[in-house]
Amino acid sequence: MKPDFKQKVTNWGNFPVVEKEMRSEDSFIKIKQFLQNHNEVIARGNGRCYGDASLGESIFSTKKLNKFISFDRLNGVIECESGVLLSEVLEVVVPQGYFLMVTPGTKFISIGGAIASDVHGKGIHCFSECLLSFRLMIENGDVLTCSRDENKEKFWATIGGMGLTGIILSAKFKLKNIDSAYIRQESIKAENLDEIFHLFEESEDWTYNVAWIDCLQKGKNIGRSVLQRGDFAMQSELPNKVKEKPLILKSKKLPKVPFYFPGFVLNNLTVKIFNYLIYNKQRAKVVKDIIPYETFFYPLDIIEDWNKIYGKSGFIQYQMVIPKEKGKEGMRKILETIANSGNGSFLAVLKYIGKNDPLAYNSFPFEGYTLALDFKVNSKLKALVVQLDNIVEEFGGRIYLAKDSMSKSSLTNYLKNVESSKFVSLQHKRILNNK
């Protein structure tokens, strides 16, 4: 096999940018050859994770593993290769009355990435809960079928294992039934942290809950936010104009950010203005509506290349989870620290996560509250991340490895149970070197 030329590679945050070898194949034989001819390998899906998890010395891109294998319409089970995107799954299953049981905030991630990161979303569950089985190519090139009954040690180690156990080739998972492609949504304004936590508690009967939060507020207004809670609408609830085709959404041409914004555009003042507009665009305390599922689940996907807004220096997304019983206290301290730092986040999202399967020991979520924050990379950011890391550790929380590119290693010890061989990334090296 000819050596691969190095190329510049980065993930969605455009930080860091590295020069590494990258190969994409659709033949299992050629994938095996690639493994045998490289000492350090990491699989990469569509590059939509925010951190540096898939950036290794030798990268195997799963983009050519993009075929569907089967779709059991009667039982709602689909099998596909690992490079298939959630968006492609949705194109197939939604018109048939099905939806993903678990989806993150973008539909442009791969199935392999969803497993390796054990993604979660606006619901309380993780992707592993709907996962039935997958095929995994391990270090020596052998292909294992992994499930709760077969090769179960590899099954659980791979879930949330960030690529350390091998290359996921394909997966089979369950879907959920839907009556329409629309969400019945309630949007509720909260004046502070106490109120938003109360709203989360009284929204337990809703399937999906998420809150945008103004991370620059202080004092009595700290935690000012807007909760969006929703469920899939029944066909009978739809407005007449869409009732005849409840599972079909009109295709739209997406606007695109054509260039990287200059560095001065995003600053503390523009963050404050943005947060003010977001909070005040809804005048009523409560607004009820029926909206397409894409608007509810994937609000950022409506703009192509939106990551360029943060400029060429890039950005990080910092996400942590704090145990439920300490959630409000922990989030208050985190928000106070961010407000005092002056490093505001344009997009700050608060969610509640339910109990995860304890067998998924590498998975990020546990029962508690998770906050995701976007920060533009600048000279002061590292100091803020260190402060946030210390707070998360103080409250018994953890950070999300699919987002991490800057945090200290002590918070990533839950990866210690995964055997590391030739499947290595920049993130894994950073963890191991700092132990």
Side-chain angles (χ1 to χ4, degrees):
M1 182 177 290
K2 294 180 180 180
D4 298 302
F5 293 103
K6 290 191 175 183
Q7 56 185 288
K8 288 186 177 180
V9 188
T10 187
N11 290 326
W12 191 244
N14 289 316
F15 174 84
V17 180
V18 298
E19 283 196 6
K20 302 295 179 182
E21 294 183 32
M22 186 159 66
R23 173 72 66 85
S24 184
E25 301 284 358
D26 59 3
S27 161
F28 291 179
I29 294 176
K30 290 183 178 179
I31 299 172
K32 182 176 180 178
Q33 291 173 345
F34 180 79
L35 281 180
Q36 293 172 337
N37 284 280
H38 293 80
N39 291 324
E40 295 183 4
V41 177
I42 195 71
R44 183 175 189 262
N46 200 33
R48 290 298 289 251
C49 71
Y50 291 84
D52 58 1
S54 64
L55 306 180
E57 290 302 317
S58 301
I59 301 170
F60 175 74
S61 169
T62 63
K63 284 190 173 183
K64 289 185 179 179
L65 297 176
N66 57 5
K67 300 176 183 65
F68 285 90
I69 299 170
S70 66
F71 180 19
D72 181 348
R73 290 170 174 80
L74 181 62
N75 297 301
V77 174
I78 195 164
E79 185 175 9
C80 62
E81 292 182 331
S82 61
V84 172
L85 305 184
L86 299 188
S87 59
E88 295 167 330
V89 174
L90 292 170
E91 288 175 4
V92 171
V93 305
V94 171
Q96 301 295 326
Y98 288 102
F99 194 74
L100 298 163
M101 291 187 71
V102 176
T103 179
T106 176
K107 60 183 178 180
F108 297 123
I109 70 163
S110 68
I111 293 298
I115 297 169
S117 301
D118 199 13
V119 296
H120 59 282
K122 293 177 171 64
I124 64 173
H125 304 291
C126 302
F127 193 81
S128 56
E129 295 177 56
C130 68
L131 184 62
L132 298 175
S133 65
F134 55 81
R135 286 188 294 170
L136 181 75
M137 184 175 287
I138 58 176
E139 181 177 7
N140 63 6
D142 289 347
V143 177
L144 306 178
T145 297
C146 304
S147 69
R148 288 167 175 80
D149 300 316
E150 187 177 3
N151 293 309
K152 57 185 179 181
E153 294 83 5
K154 285 290 187 184
F155 179 81
W156 292 113
T158 301
I159 292 169
M162 304 304 295
L164 284 177
T165 60
I167 296 175
I168 299 169
L169 302 175
S170 64
K172 180 185 291 187
F173 52 96
K174 294 185 293 185
L175 303 164
K176 69 174 289 178
N177 289 105
I178 56 173
D179 201 43
S180 80
Y182 294 84
I183 297 290
R184 173 171 48 87
Q185 175 187 271
E186 288 188 4
S187 183
I188 310 171
K189 296 176 75 169
E191 294 182 1
N192 51 46
L193 203 61
D194 289 334
E195 187 175 359
I196 191 60
F197 269 78
H198 175 72
L199 285 171
F200 270 111
E201 290 172 2
E202 72 171 26
S203 301
E204 290 182 354
D205 292 337
W206 291 76
T207 305
Y208 307 110
N209 293 279
V210 64
W212 164 85
I213 194 163
D214 184 347
C215 64
L216 288 180
Q217 292 298 311
K218 298 181 180 181
K220 65 179 182 179
N221 292 327
I222 193 167
R224 186 174 74 170
S225 48
V226 179
L227 176 74
Q228 292 176 321
R229 58 191 187 188
D231 277 302
F232 274 95
M234 301 298 292
Q235 185 175 356
S236 59
E237 297 176 291
L238 299 180
N240 290 331
K241 61 182 179 180
V242 297
K243 191 173 288 187
E244 290 185 5
K245 295 182 178 180
L247 295 169
I248 306 297
L249 297 180
K250 291 183 179 180
S251 59
K252 298 179 180 178
K253 186 175 181 179
L254 303 180
K256 185 175 183 178
V257 178
F259 54 83
Y260 288 96
F261 279 29
F264 64 83
V265 172
L266 296 191
N267 54 56
N268 204 35
L269 176 60
T270 55
V271 171
K272 286 182 178 179
I273 294 172
F274 177 80
N275 286 344
Y276 174 85
L277 294 174
I278 288 290
Y279 186 75
N280 288 283
K281 75 173 183 178
Q282 178 178 317
R283 296 190 177 185
K285 178 75 172 178
V286 181
V287 174
K288 300 180 181 181
D289 204 358
I290 301 288
I291 61 174
Y293 78 81
E294 291 181 330
T295 304
F296 183 79
F297 288 107
Y298 314 116
L300 292 176
D301 284 350
I302 64 171
I303 303 175
E304 287 189 39
D305 295 338
W306 64 262
N307 56 339
K308 291 182 178 179
I309 293 173
Y310 286 88
K312 289 186 176 180
S313 61
F315 71 103
I316 69 166
Q317 185 169 104
Y318 187 94
Q319 184 172 357
M320 83 298 290
V321 59
I322 303 293
K324 182 180 180 181
E325 63 275 10
K326 301 178 182 178
K328 189 193 298 185
E329 182 185 0
M331 292 302 169
R332 186 180 301 277
K333 191 166 184 179
I334 286 169
L335 291 171
E336 287 174 346
T337 301
I338 294 169
N340 291 332
S341 75
N343 264 308
S345 169
F346 264 85
L347 298 171
V349 177
L350 180 67
K351 293 179 284 191
Y352 170 72
I353 301 178
K355 293 180 180 178
N356 193 20
D357 193 324
L359 292 174
Y361 54 85
N362 287 315
S363 185
F364 161 72
F366 53 70
E367 187 175 18
Y369 287 90
T370 177
L371 181 65
L373 305 135
D374 288 355
F375 295 110
K376 179 184 173 183
V377 172
N378 58 41
S379 59
K380 298 179 180 180
L381 183 56
K382 179 62 179 178
L384 174 60
V385 169
V386 170
Q387 288 181 283
L388 297 179
D389 283 349
N390 290 335
I391 296 170
V392 174
E393 196 165 17
E394 174 189 348
F395 285 92
R398 63 170 62 139
I399 59 171
Y400 192 14
L401 294 183
K403 309 292 179 69
D404 171 43
S405 57
M406 198 174 283
S407 291
K408 64 180 183 179
S409 63
S410 60
L411 295 174
T412 58
N413 285 337
Y414 64 100
L415 257 182
K416 64 186 178 183
N417 294 314
V418 177
E419 295 180 3
S420 176
S421 54
K422 66 163 53 184
F423 298 100
V424 182
S425 72
L426 293 185
Q427 185 184 63
H428 305 136
K429 284 186 175 180
R430 178 161 49 82
I431 293 169
L432 295 170
N433 290 339
N434 288 313
K435 279 189 176 181

